[in-house]
Amino acid sequence: YLTYPPLAYKDTDAYRRLAGQVLEGWATYDGSRMPGYPVFLAGLGADQTVYAVRLILGLLITLLFFYIGWRLTGKGWAAALFAAAYTLNPQQVLVEADLLSETLTIFFLALSLAALAALLCRPGRRPLGETLLLAGLAGTAAGLAALTRTLFIFLPVLAAVFLLIGWPKSTHWERWAAAAGVALAGLALIGAYVNFIHQRYDIWGLSTMNGYHMMNHAGQFFEYAPDEYAELRETYLRYRDAQQAETGSSSNAIWDAIPEMQQVSGLGFTDLSRLLGQICIRLIVEHPGLYLHSVFQGWLGFWKAPVHWRAITGPLAGAQQIAILGLRGALILGNGIFLLGTLALPIPKLRRRLALNTPLYLMGASVWAASIMQAMLEFGDNPRYSVPLQTLVLLLVGWGLIKIFQFRHLKRKPVPGKSSPADNDGRRPAPER
């Protein structure tokens, strides 16, 4: 807090503007971004206050992961490793200084998982009221995570499914009550905001900028847009091709093209987004192969493990670059192990060795669902969307490596009272009479 000041990004000003609209009243909220982080900023005010609270959230996230590890294993050292997956990752700690939504998203995600771990891992029966309370907490936190970052919209439903199929020690009614509590609490929050967007802007979705986001996919083959939208098509293609020639990528070219596209169409910001969304859906339906190719490219970008640090100058700049490359290499290696490990889970022997339980399966499924969801919705800064999930990847990889090491250690450990083939000067032991 004293030596590493908060860091603003391009998106920070947009969040600040929305925070001002929240303070003025929801009637002025333009719905261009999810409301979770703007509400957070509106309630805290100055950047230094926001930074201090983000650091407190970082400490709470560490404690939540410690609690999750303790619930899953009953061992303090294992719980400490769960916490270390977050708090000893420089990327996760330093991102707390970024005036963006990542830390708040991680907090809601960790809170939801902690409530689910308490629900699934406590031995014995519990009162129905306690079950519903934990389920409501898990669902509410999952819904707030979605209202902070859109890509977690799947979390309430995914958690409910895992409660139904992965809680064998519960009764039939407990499973259904808990699953309904999680799903309804989360979906009620998401549904309320979707209804707000629809009532105010006549858009079914979570943002008034969905059309612009979809252009990062469909904009790559926007030359196939119908002739009835020729002016919009030619305007956008001019900006796209110019950026492609300059940077080698057409990602986010739409943001430079918006003012002129508004001028040629005569539409306002929100109306243009709605129209572009309709055009993009039509293009995706007519050219699914081109869309899926773009989705795959976005999915690959998700695993590139970005490192968001404040660049320094002077004699230590080179050391910082080496540290960033080393950390990014370690995170990419962890992503690779995670992908290979989860793809190998159909092998029964591997599942037995890993001894995964329902909360761990839910974490892995959440990472996969988020990687697919963000790729389907966006093709731009895809690596950034993986930041809230880095801790889940690292602790799952750590769990797997420890379990495999323990299995090999136990396999090689000699059984007391039995001689090995190497005894008796390398000869087989003599049979007992």
Side-chain angles (χ1 to χ4, degrees):
Y1 184 80
L2 296 176
T3 62
Y4 192 84
L7 186 60
Y9 288 80
K10 290 181 179 180
D11 289 349
T12 303
D13 288 337
Y15 284 124
R16 287 169 174 158
R17 176 177 56 80
L18 292 172
Q21 293 177 0
V22 170
L23 292 173
E24 293 172 3
W26 284 98
T28 62
Y29 195 78
D30 65 23
S32 57
R33 294 178 185 271
M34 301 300 284
Y37 194 59
V39 171
F40 179 77
L41 292 180
L44 296 176
D47 288 350
Q48 289 298 325
T49 305
V50 173
Y51 186 17
V53 173
R54 288 171 67 92
L55 292 176
I56 294 172
L57 288 179
L59 175 59
L60 294 176
I61 292 167
T62 299
L63 297 176
L64 286 170
F65 277 114
F66 183 95
Y67 177 79
I68 293 169
W70 177 71
R71 273 296 188 192
L72 265 57
T73 66
K75 301 182 185 338
W77 65 267
L81 290 178
F82 271 62
Y86 174 81
T87 202
L88 293 186
N89 179 358
Q91 161 71 317
Q92 297 287 275
V93 173
L94 294 180
V95 83
E96 294 168 11
D98 295 347
L99 298 176
L100 296 172
S101 62
E102 272 70 15
T103 298
L104 186 62
T105 305
I106 299 169
F107 171 73
F108 288 135
L109 177 62
L111 181 60
S112 181
L113 292 173
L116 289 168
L119 197 60
L120 290 164
C121 299
R122 176 179 171 178
R125 300 289 298 277
R126 62 164 55 86
L128 181 60
E130 184 180 342
T131 297
L132 293 176
L133 182 63
L134 288 171
L137 176 60
T140 300
L144 290 173
L147 291 181
T148 307
R149 293 302 294 269
T150 313
L151 66 94
F152 288 102
I153 190 174
F154 64 84
L155 192 56
V157 175
L158 187 66
V161 170
F162 272 83
L163 281 170
L164 286 176
I165 66 177
W167 194 10
K169 295 183 180 180
S170 65
T171 66
H172 178 77
W173 288 108
E174 279 181 322
R175 286 197 300 273
W176 279 100
V182 170
L184 291 176
L187 294 178
L189 288 171
I190 297 170
Y193 184 65
V194 169
N195 182 64
F196 167 78
I197 294 294
H198 177 66
Q199 292 294 328
R200 183 162 180 78
Y201 299 105
D202 194 27
I203 294 175
W204 285 110
L206 293 167
S207 170
T208 56
M209 297 201 303
N210 284 342
Y212 300 131
H213 293 307
M214 294 175 67
M215 283 292 291
N216 277 336
H217 280 308
Q220 298 184 57
F221 44 95
F222 205 67
E223 51 266 36
Y224 298 116
D227 288 339
E228 59 189 290
Y229 307 112
E231 286 187 308
L232 286 174
R233 181 185 63 202
E234 300 307 319
T235 301
Y236 173 75
L237 290 179
R238 186 157 31 84
Y239 281 89
R240 186 199 69 179
D241 294 344
Q243 180 176 309
Q244 182 76 37
E246 181 179 352
T247 66
S249 171
S250 62
S251 174
N252 291 319
I254 181 62
W255 303 111
D256 292 329
I258 287 174
E260 188 173 345
M261 293 178 78
Q262 285 183 271
Q263 185 177 2
V264 300
S265 65
L267 297 175
F269 184 85
T270 302
D271 291 334
L272 178 61
S273 175
R274 185 188 300 110
L275 177 60
L276 289 177
Q278 296 169 358
I279 298 173
C280 289
I281 291 174
R282 180 172 174 178
L283 288 173
I284 289 170
V285 171
E286 294 176 353
H287 306 279
L290 296 175
Y291 169 67
L292 291 177
H293 178 267
S294 181
V295 168
F296 181 69
Q297 295 299 317
W299 182 83
L300 288 178
F302 179 85
W303 304 102
K304 291 182 179 179
V307 176
H308 294 168
W309 290 4
R310 179 185 292 275
I312 62 175
T313 58
L316 295 179
Q320 185 194 46
Q321 290 300 316
I322 293 174
I324 290 176
L325 289 175
L327 175 61
R328 191 173 186 187
L331 293 175
I332 291 176
L333 176 62
N335 287 342
I337 296 173
F338 171 82
L339 289 172
L340 292 176
T342 53
L343 291 175
L345 279 179
I347 303 174
K349 184 182 291 187
L350 178 64
R351 290 201 306 273
R352 288 195 298 271
R353 291 184 182 181
L354 294 180
L356 297 172
N357 50 33
T358 300
L360 292 174
Y361 275 116
L362 174 59
M363 292 178 194
S366 297
V367 175
W368 268 99
S371 72
I372 295 171
M373 181 69 70
Q374 59 85 35
M376 293 178 65
L377 298 176
E378 180 67 272
F379 181 75
D381 193 12
N382 296 78
R384 177 185 160 192
Y385 301 132
S386 69
V387 172
L389 297 151
Q390 278 185 2
T391 300
L392 300 189
V393 172
L394 290 177
L395 68 85
L396 287 170
V397 169
W399 175 282
L401 294 177
I402 289 173
K403 287 295 180 181
I404 291 174
F405 173 79
Q406 287 177 340
F407 178 82
R408 291 184 177 275
H409 177 69
L410 292 173
K411 189 175 181 180
R412 294 175 180 175
K413 188 175 181 180
V415 179
K418 289 187 178 182
S419 54
S420 68
D423 293 338
N424 299 324
D425 298 325
R427 297 169 298 170
R428 287 186 175 276
E432 296 181 2
R433 292 187 182 276

